Amino acid sequence: MTRAQRNTRLFWLFALLILGTGLGLRDPWPADEPRFALVAKQMVESGDWLFPHRGSELYSDKPPLFMWLQAVVLSATGNLRIAFLLPSLLAALGTLWCVVDLGTRLWTRRVGLYAGWALLLALQFTWQAKKAQIDPLAVFWITLANYGLLRHLLRGPDWRMWALGWAAAGLGTITKAVGVLSLLMLLPAAFARWRGWPAVRLHARNPRFWLGPLAFVAACGVWLLPMLVAALGKQSPAYDAYINDILFRQTVTRYTNAWHHGQPPWYFIEVALTAWLPTVLALPWAIPAWRRRLQRRDARLLLPLGWVLLVLVFFSIPSGKRDMYILPALPMLCLALAPLLPGILRKQGAQRLLLGFVGLLSMAMVGAGLAMLVGEPGFERRFMEGRDAAVAEGLAAMFVATGGVGIGALLWFGRRRAQAALVALLATLWVLYSLVAAPLLNDGSSSRGLMRQVGTAIGPTAQLGLVGWREQQLLMADRPAADFGFKRDPKAQFADALGWQRQASPVPRWLLVEGSVLPACVDTARARDMGNANRRRWWLLPGAATRECR
C-alpha cells in the first residue's frame, strides 16, 4: 500500500468514526429534528407522501424531499432512531467525497485530502452532520452541483457533469429553496471568461448547454409538478394556503421581509470566525496567498472563492439570519484553502496558533468538567433544568476526559505536529459526545422521559390529547394521541380538547397541556404536575380537573 493510499484510508476511517459514531443511540431533539421525524413517521403510517402533515395540519414550512429520505429508511428498517439520522450522515459523507475528489482532480490527491480534513474538522460542519436537520442534505446537493459545474467549467467540456450540476441544484432547491444558489458559480466563471482567464470555458454556444437548465427543471419537477396538480385538483382552501406558503411565504417573503431571527449585516462574519474554527485559523496566511494566485489568474481559486463571497453577500442582505444559512459556503472555502494548507502548516506561527487553540479548548473542557464535579455553577443549574441530576456527573467526566486527551496529545506530538493533536482532540470530543453525552441527555431533550411518565400515569388503556404541544410530545407518545391543531391559538385548541375529553368514551381521556396555556379554570389540585421538559412546564389533566371549564 502506498503512502497516498494509507492517508486516504486514514481520512475515511476518521470521517466514519467522527460522523457515524452514535447512530441509533438517541431520539430526535428540538428544534427541528422531531418535526421532520414526525412528518416522516406520519408519511409511512398514512401513505400520503406528497403532502406532509404535522399532526392533523398540513406542514408547509419545507419541501418534503428530506422527509421522504427519512421515511424510506424508516420503511426499510422500522427503526426511527436510525431513520431520522442516516440521511444526514450519508449527505455529510457525500459532501466530503465531492470536496476530496474535486481537490484531487484540480490539484493532487494530497490537496484533496487536505480539503477533506479542513471540512471534517470545522466545528459547524460536524455539528450539523450529527443532527437531523435539512441543512446537511442541502449542503450535499449544493456541493454536488458545484462539483459538476466546476468539472465542466475547469476541466471540460464534460456535458454529463454539466447536467449533473444543474440536476443537483434542482434537487437542492426542492430540499431547501437556497439550493438554487449553487448556480451562482456561473457568475465568477462568466467574469473569468470575459477577462480572458485561461482554462475557463462556458461553451454557451454549444446546443448541449441547454441540457443543464432542462436537468434543473426536471429535478424540480420531481416534487413540484405532482404537488401542484394534486393540490389544485383538491380545490380546498387548506391546500391553496399550502401552495402559497411553501412557494412564496417561505421563500420570497422570508428573504425580503423576514419575521424572525433578526441579526445585523455583519452577523455571518462573526459566525464564520467562530463556527468555522479551526479551519479559519489559516486565513491570515491564506488571504495573501490567494491574492498572489488570483493575480496569476488561477481560476481554480477564483470560481470557489467568488462563489463563497456571493453566498455570504446574499445571506447578509435580509434581516433574518441563522448561523447554518452560510454552511453551504464552507466546502468551497475548504477547497480553496487546501492547496495552501501544506505550506501554512509548516509555518511556525501557524503551528503556534494551532497549539494555542488546542490548548485553550482542552483546558476549557477540563475546567468546565471540574466545575460541574466539585461546584454548582449557575450554568449547570440552567443546563440541567428538567433533567436527572445524575446526568451532570457523566457530562463532567466526558469534559474532563476530552480535555485530558487534548493536553496529552499536545505533549505527545509536540510543537511541530499541532494538527495531529487537533485531530486527536476533536475526534475524542465527537466520539464521546455521541457515546456519552447524547444518550445521557436524550430523555430530557427528546421528551421521551416526559412521555414515558405520562404513559405510566394514565395507564395503558387511556386516551391522550395534546394542547400547546411540540412535535416531540406527539412523536414520543406511547400511543396515538389526539391533537387539536399546532399553529392554532391555544385557547381554541383547549376548547376543542374539552369537547373531545367530554365525549362518551369507554376509557378515560386525559389532556397534556403546556403550562403557559393552562386556563385559570383548571383545578390544579386534581391535575398532575409533570415537571419541566424542553424548558416548558407540563400538566396532565383528568376530566375532574377541567370540570369547571366552559
Side-chain angles (χ1 to χ4, degrees):
M1 188 184 301
T2 66
R3 181 178 180 181
Q5 290 173 327
R6 287 196 299 271
N7 290 339
T8 300
R9 294 190 179 187
L10 182 66
F11 169 76
W12 288 113
L13 175 64
F14 269 91
L16 286 171
L17 179 69
I18 291 172
L19 300 178
T21 301
L23 182 68
L25 296 183
R26 70 173 180 90
D27 299 298
W29 294 359
D32 297 328
E33 290 181 350
R35 182 179 312 146
F36 302 141
L38 177 63
V39 168
K41 182 172 179 283
Q42 290 188 230
M43 283 179 178
V44 174
E45 293 173 347
S46 68
D48 184 359
W49 291 49
L50 192 55
F51 294 102
H53 282 75
R54 175 170 47 191
S56 57
E57 292 180 352
L58 287 166
Y59 175 68
S60 58
D61 287 9
K62 296 290 186 294
L65 184 56
F66 178 67
M67 287 77 87
W68 284 351
L69 296 179
Q70 290 183 319
V72 167
V73 180
L74 180 59
S75 298
T77 65
N79 189 321
L80 183 64
R81 284 188 167 188
I82 292 177
F84 90 99
L85 276 175
L86 187 59
S88 293
L89 170 61
L90 297 178
L93 292 173
T95 302
L96 286 172
W97 180 87
C98 288
V99 170
V100 171
D101 190 70
L102 195 55
T104 301
R105 291 177 182 274
L106 296 180
W107 288 280
T108 65
R109 178 182 291 192
R110 185 186 186 202
V111 170
L113 290 176
Y114 269 101
W117 280 112
L119 182 59
L120 177 63
L121 298 179
L123 297 178
Q124 189 184 43
F125 175 79
T126 304
W127 174 246
Q128 290 296 329
K130 297 181 78 66
K131 299 170 71 175
Q133 296 180 332
I134 286 181
D135 299 277
L137 183 61
V139 170
F140 167 69
W141 292 126
I142 291 173
T143 307
L144 181 61
N146 290 334
Y147 174 87
L149 294 177
L150 288 174
R151 282 191 57 179
H152 173 77
L153 295 168
L154 297 175
R155 290 291 184 266
D158 190 330
W159 296 108
R160 289 186 299 178
M161 289 294 105
W162 176 250
L164 172 66
W166 283 80
L171 292 173
T173 302
I174 64 172
T175 299
K176 196 173 183 179
V178 296
V180 72
L181 293 181
S182 53
L183 300 180
L184 291 177
M185 186 67 74
L186 300 178
L187 295 182
F191 171 82
R193 183 62 180 158
W194 172 57
R195 299 293 293 180
W197 287 42
V200 179
R201 297 291 185 271
L202 285 173
H203 310 283
R205 295 180 180 179
N206 192 309
R208 285 181 287 184
F209 176 90
W210 297 103
L211 289 174
L214 288 175
F216 178 82
V217 172
C220 292
V222 168
W223 162 72
L224 191 59
L225 182 61
M227 184 275 292
L228 287 173
V229 170
L232 294 174
K234 291 180 180 295
Q235 297 183 345
S236 164
Y239 286 88
D240 292 342
Y242 176 87
I243 294 175
N244 179 72
D245 192 48
I246 200 167
L247 295 185
F248 301 105
R249 182 173 177 270
Q250 296 292 340
T251 54
V252 178
T253 305
R254 180 185 285 268
Y255 183 81
T256 59
N257 188 23
W259 55 88
H260 51 34
H261 305 301
Q263 298 290 349
W266 58 84
Y267 172 71
F268 287 122
I269 297 176
E270 299 174 0
V271 172
L273 293 178
T274 53
W276 291 0
L277 285 169
T279 300
V280 293
L281 295 177
L283 289 182
W285 296 273
I287 291 174
W290 282 334
R291 185 185 302 114
R292 292 191 297 269
R293 295 196 180 201
L294 290 175
Q295 288 173 347
R296 298 198 296 264
R297 296 190 170 193
D298 190 342
R300 296 172 299 178
L301 295 177
L302 173 69
L303 268 60
L305 286 176
W307 183 80
V308 168
L309 182 61
L310 289 171
V311 170
L312 291 175
V313 170
F314 176 86
F315 283 117
S316 296
I317 294 173
S319 60
K321 301 175 180 69
R322 298 181 68 188
D323 57 352
M324 72 277 294
Y325 286 0
I326 61 166
L327 181 60
L330 182 57
M332 289 299 102
L333 179 69
C334 293
L335 179 68
L337 274 174
L340 311 177
L341 286 176
I344 291 174
L345 289 174
R346 286 195 295 268
K347 295 182 180 296
Q348 189 177 44
Q351 286 288 319
R352 288 176 176 173
L353 183 60
L354 204 52
L355 284 170
F357 174 79
V358 175
L360 286 174
L361 184 57
S362 300
M363 288 187 290
M365 289 186 177
V366 171
L370 292 177
M372 293 178 71
L373 285 173
V374 303
E376 194 176 358
F379 81 88
E380 180 191 348
R381 290 195 299 272
R382 293 191 298 271
F383 182 74
M384 297 308 300
E385 183 179 3
R387 294 185 172 97
D388 190 332
V391 173
E393 296 181 4
L395 295 179
M398 184 202 76
F399 286 139
V400 172
T402 303
V405 168
I407 294 172
L410 284 178
L411 297 174
W412 179 264
F413 292 109
R415 295 178 295 174
R416 296 182 181 273
R417 299 182 62 195
Q419 62 270 27
L422 175 69
V423 171
L425 170 64
L426 293 183
T428 302
L429 171 64
W430 292 121
V431 169
L432 291 185
Y433 164 79
S434 303
L435 295 179
V436 178
L440 283 174
L441 297 172
N442 186 61
D443 273 10
S445 295
S446 68
S447 278
R448 177 175 288 276
L450 169 67
M451 299 313 293
R452 184 190 302 117
Q453 295 173 23
V454 168
T456 301
I458 67 178
T461 61
Q463 296 179 358
L464 180 66
L466 304 176
V467 177
W469 54 285
R470 310 307 297 172
E471 293 92 346
Q472 54 267 29
Q473 279 83 54
L474 184 56
L475 181 65
M476 291 290 105
D478 64 353
R479 67 202 70 200
D483 76 270
F484 311 96
F486 183 83
K487 292 185 176 182
R488 295 179 67 207
D489 181 78
K491 293 181 180 179
Q493 292 186 44
F494 191 81
D496 289 350
L498 281 180
W500 171 82
Q501 189 177 43
R502 291 169 180 174
Q503 290 174 358
S505 173
V507 296
R509 290 182 169 180
W510 295 70
L511 299 178
L512 181 65
V513 183
E514 199 266 309
S516 66
V517 304
L518 195 71
C521 62
V522 171
D523 183 359
T524 54
R526 297 177 180 269
R528 297 195 183 189
D529 183 355
M530 302 305 295
N532 290 331
N534 306 121
R535 298 174 181 168
R536 295 176 174 86
R537 196 166 196 85
W538 298 91
W539 291 83
L540 194 56
L541 312 181
T546 60
R547 191 169 297 156
E548 300 301 321
C549 296
R550 296 291 182 266

